[in-house]
Amino acid sequence: MDMSAQLKKNLISRIKDSKDINFLKALQTIFDSSEQALYQLNSEQENSISLGREQIRNGEFSSNTQVMSEMRQWLSKK
């Protein structure tokens, strides 16, 4: 087993066995902050997400079933 796998196994075991809520919360904070770095969005992406959320609030969206039906129709014409 490589070092990375062994370290993960050790950490998982220690987390499972821990009863210390403060320790677990601290780990959660570490994981959350590291995940945020993965999702750094530029202003255009943030604006697009905001627009999409606004459209959903206003009912301006199609159901998955409707989209799939339209795609099947479009593909059958090709």
Side-chain angles (χ1 to χ4, degrees):
M1 187 179 306
D2 70 355
M3 251 177 101
S4 176
Q6 182 60 41
L7 180 58
K8 288 177 184 179
K9 185 177 177 182
N10 185 2
L11 288 170
I12 290 168
S13 176
R14 291 177 70 184
I15 291 168
K16 281 183 178 179
D17 293 341
S18 178
K19 306 281 188 255
D20 184 344
I21 193 71
N22 291 325
F23 169 72
L24 295 172
K25 285 181 179 180
L27 283 175
Q28 184 67 51
T29 300
I30 291 169
F31 284 125
D32 290 347
S33 66
S34 68
E35 289 171 359
Q36 288 175 357
L38 294 175
Y39 302 108
Q40 294 296 323
L41 304 176
N42 63 37
S43 61
E44 182 179 344
Q45 293 167 321
E46 289 178 358
N47 290 337
S48 293
I49 291 170
S50 294
L51 175 61
R53 287 179 174 161
E54 184 178 330
Q55 289 172 325
I56 290 170
R57 280 191 298 273
N58 294 332
E60 300 169 8
F61 61 91
S62 300
S63 70
N64 185 57
T65 304
Q66 182 181 1
V67 171
M68 294 303 292
S69 175
E70 290 173 8
M71 291 303 297
R72 284 188 188 98
Q73 290 175 3
W74 180 78
L75 287 170
S76 69
K77 295 177 185 176
K78 294 286 174 184

